[in-house]
Amino acid sequence: MQTVQSQDITYDKLSVVDPGMRVFHWQGQLLRGVYPHAVDSVRKLFDSGLIEELVARQLIPDTWITDLVLDEFPLVVGQKRIRAVTYPHEWSYSMVKSAALLALEVNAVANEFGYQLSDCHGLNVVFDGMRPVYVDLGSFVACARSAGRKVTWIAYEEFLRAFEYPLDVWRRGMEHIAHCLLLCSTPFISHREYQKISHPWLWFVPDGLLDKLNEVKFARHRLSAVSDSRDALRPASRIKQLALRIARLPSYPKPWTNMNRLMARVSSMERKPRETKWTHYHDRYQSANGNLVSTPRFERIAQLITDLGISSVIELAGNQGVLSRLLLKVGVREVICTDYDESAIEQFYRTARGADRNISAAVFDFMLASSNPTAISVSQRLGSDAALALAVTHHLVLGQRFPIDLVLSTIGGYAKRYVFIEFMPLGLFDGKFAPPLPPWYSLEWFRSRFREQFALLHEEELDLNRVLFVGEHRAQKTSQAHDQSPSE
């Protein structure tokens, strides 16, 4: 056994509510410390064969019991680290749907081994490239089985509020509301609020009445979540007591225990088609059979990335990810494609989800990216060796009035070392018409501002209205020069 010192570990900011485990980082490893009272149950979980089965089916990352111990944790579980971690509000519709189906499949497999998920929300799911995997080991609890009796899923309400309700709102065309629901991971939207969004006529029904009806509807799940229903009845209100008593009746229906029915219901949820200004922006780069069509501009950018030995790239405003996918073909080890346009990332995900795990997707505006205040920032989570921002600075500066210094520093925040940024001399030129440009907007102006923040390594005109600037963080440049100094 190897003892790890508490001062050498860093606790994960989101791991705060699990009573049995706590996630921490040590020497680049993602580990879960198990508290003494939970050691036996965790060992039983591994001995049951469930973890081995879930790993084999690629439903959870590689997971194992280590030989590490800490003063606070007599048992430590290791789990494969996934670098590009995104959160539910950064997913496209199909990504949320895939995560929901994954959770249902994990719970169905767990039932076969005498377990179920005790909580089920998006923060328990991480995308390993384009494949969702369930990561919260603390969610697994033993089922309260009896002969001939179905298992009631105690996390069913949470699944509805965290997954199915946002998906249903989204497919009805209320994308912004759905994203807000996903951003506010907890508390989740209530049954009453969702019902009023789905059925506006319910606004005429008093809130208290709807809440009481939902108490009755979901009483079975709440009853199964406690070990002694008699104790649960004592402190409850009269309506809750009545609801729980009704739920204990043998004839009380419980359709929610059928995992196959739930999977079929979620699988059938298809969103209304939605097109934006950028939906078909990359269509010209993809052939009818789905193959990528490269261009001299893309090939030149890929060559420069290869020459610099860059291994990881984040593409900001990458639309449908055509360049991101091409970069994987030239040897870049890891690529993350992001865009604020959800429909573009949705098409990217649908096209590339069967691809290599080394490519990831995320929906966010890199200039206004938000995150859970207790979590790591987007730029820290997804920052890569190089950040690409192609054909976007003119929109930010001329269209949205962002100061160029803020644009460049924000892009640089996603880059550990290099930036690839295009300047558009013709501004908002659309191929036919170019709006008048401010007198200060020029190639010389952009070059001087670029040099204020980065060491300019390369400048090249790639196409009409496309001048590529390749830069390096000055701290990195200085460090590299120092390392190569003859005096060393």
Side-chain angles (χ1 to χ4, degrees):
M1 302 295 287
Q2 181 179 358
T3 301
V4 177
Q5 302 302 318
S6 299
Q7 64 268 23
D8 295 333
I9 69 174
T10 303
Y11 286 111
D12 192 283
K13 292 183 178 181
L14 289 180
S15 180
V16 292
V17 297
D18 189 335
M21 303 182 187
R22 190 168 184 187
V23 178
F24 65 89
H25 306 270
W26 177 71
Q27 294 187 354
Q29 299 181 61
L30 177 69
L31 302 165
R32 294 177 183 272
V34 182
Y35 292 111
H37 71 270
V39 168
D40 288 344
S41 61
V42 171
R43 289 196 180 277
K44 288 179 181 178
L45 176 64
F46 276 84
D47 291 342
S48 72
L50 172 58
I51 299 301
E52 183 179 359
E53 179 68 16
L54 292 173
V55 170
R57 296 195 191 191
Q58 298 184 338
L59 300 179
I60 66 172
D62 290 342
T63 304
W64 62 94
I65 293 178
T66 73
D67 62 352
L68 305 176
V69 293
L70 283 80
D71 291 340
E72 193 174 5
F73 306 119
L75 182 68
V76 176
V77 175
Q79 196 168 59
K80 174 192 172 184
R81 174 185 288 277
I82 297 173
R83 193 189 75 81
V85 174
T86 56
Y87 298 137
H89 65 279
E90 297 164 347
W91 300 343
S92 71
Y93 180 85
S94 290
M95 293 174 74
V96 176
K97 182 176 174 179
S98 295
L101 291 171
L102 165 81
L104 293 177
E105 186 175 359
V106 168
N107 191 64
V109 175
N111 288 169
E112 298 173 6
F113 288 81
Y115 285 86
Q116 64 170 300
L117 297 178
S118 62
D119 62 275
C120 186
H121 52 76
L123 294 178
N124 287 346
V125 177
V126 171
F127 275 83
D128 186 4
M130 291 293 180
R131 181 193 297 275
V133 289
Y134 202 88
V135 295
D136 185 18
L137 293 183
S139 296
F140 294 97
V141 296
C143 293
R145 288 181 179 272
S146 62
R149 178 175 176 267
K150 291 184 178 180
V151 177
T152 302
W153 188 19
I154 59 177
Y156 176 67
E157 279 188 84
E158 189 171 64
F159 174 82
L160 289 180
R161 296 166 64 188
F163 284 115
E164 190 168 337
Y165 290 172
L167 281 171
D168 188 50
V169 168
W170 201 336
R171 75 182 179 92
R172 294 169 185 264
M174 293 175 278
E175 175 187 332
H176 180 72
I177 294 177
H179 269 286
C180 289
L181 298 181
L182 294 169
L183 177 60
C184 301
S185 301
T186 54
F188 305 105
I189 185 174
S190 68
H191 300 304
R192 167 173 42 83
E193 291 172 311
Y194 163 73
Q195 289 158 354
K196 287 194 170 185
I197 292 175
S198 302
H199 308 288
W201 62 270
L202 288 176
W203 283 100
F204 297 101
V205 178
D207 289 352
L209 177 58
L210 277 179
D211 288 338
K212 290 175 181 178
L213 292 173
N214 283 315
E215 286 288 349
V216 174
K217 180 178 180 180
F218 295 104
R220 175 69 75 174
H221 306 91
R222 297 170 189 183
L223 180 65
S224 65
V226 296
S227 58
D228 190 336
S229 60
R230 294 180 182 275
D231 290 339
L233 289 175
R234 290 194 184 102
S237 65
R238 290 185 177 182
I239 186 63
K240 290 183 178 180
Q241 291 183 39
L242 176 61
L244 289 172
R245 286 196 173 99
I246 293 174
R248 291 166 60 192
L249 297 175
S251 59
Y252 190 80
K254 39 186 198 302
W256 49 82
T257 56
N258 190 320
M259 286 294 114
N260 291 330
R261 185 179 300 175
L262 278 175
M263 289 181 188
R265 191 167 77 201
V266 174
S267 296
S268 66
M269 298 175 73
E270 295 294 338
R271 66 184 296 187
K272 293 181 178 179
R274 186 182 74 90
E275 292 192 358
T276 68
K277 177 181 178 181
W278 307 107
T279 299
H280 301 292
Y281 183 68
H282 271 185
D283 286 357
R284 63 185 182 277
Y285 302 125
Q286 302 183 73
S287 62
N289 59 5
N291 293 329
L292 299 179
V293 178
S294 187
T295 66
R297 172 172 161 253
F298 283 166
E299 291 173 0
R300 179 57 178 154
I301 293 171
Q303 183 61 54
L304 290 170
I305 288 174
T306 302
D307 291 346
L308 288 171
I310 295 170
S311 62
S312 65
V313 168
I314 179 170
E315 188 178 7
L316 305 171
N319 202 261
Q320 296 176 34
V322 170
L323 178 58
S324 292
R325 292 160 63 193
L326 288 170
L327 290 177
L328 278 184
K329 295 180 180 295
V330 299
V332 177
R333 180 174 52 82
E334 181 182 78
V335 181
I336 306 169
C337 178
T338 76
D339 201 284
Y340 87 102
D341 190 298
E342 186 274 336
S343 65
I345 294 298
E346 172 75 357
Q347 291 195 50
F348 171 49
Y349 178 71
R350 285 175 171 267
T351 303
R353 60 178 149 188
D356 195 288
R357 288 188 177 184
N358 294 330
I359 191 165
S360 306
V363 180
F364 63 85
D365 183 336
F366 71 86
M367 290 298 298
L368 302 171
S370 60
S371 186
N372 186 315
T374 64
I376 301 174
S377 68
V378 180
S379 58
Q380 286 181 288
R381 283 186 282 120
L382 305 183
S384 304
D385 292 343
L388 274 61
L390 309 180
V392 69
T393 57
H394 58 318
H395 292 294
L396 298 173
V397 174
L398 300 176
Q400 301 181 43
R401 308 293 184 182
F402 280 108
I404 185 60
D405 296 339
L406 177 60
V407 171
L408 294 175
S409 63
T410 302
I411 294 171
Y414 291 88
K416 295 179 180 177
R417 186 163 186 177
Y418 301 104
V419 294
F420 286 64
I421 305 174
E422 283 185 329
F423 172 71
M424 280 53 67
L426 301 180
L428 297 171
F429 176 66
D430 62 2
K432 297 180 181 179
F433 174 74
L437 294 172
W440 48 264
Y441 187 86
S442 67
L443 185 62
E444 293 74 20
W445 162 82
F446 185 86
R447 184 185 298 117
S448 66
R449 294 304 181 91
F450 187 92
R451 280 177 164 161
E452 288 176 2
Q453 301 202 32
F454 307 107
L456 178 58
L457 302 182
H458 184 75
E459 178 183 333
E460 180 178 345
E461 183 176 3
L462 299 179
D463 204 345
L464 177 67
N465 202 27
R466 298 282 192 278
V467 179
L468 177 68
F469 284 76
V470 180
E472 185 177 14
H473 281 302
R474 291 193 178 278
Q476 291 282 358
K477 186 71 174 178
T478 302
S479 174
Q480 183 184 46
H482 179 72
D483 291 343
Q484 296 175 354
S485 172
S487 62
E488 296 292 313

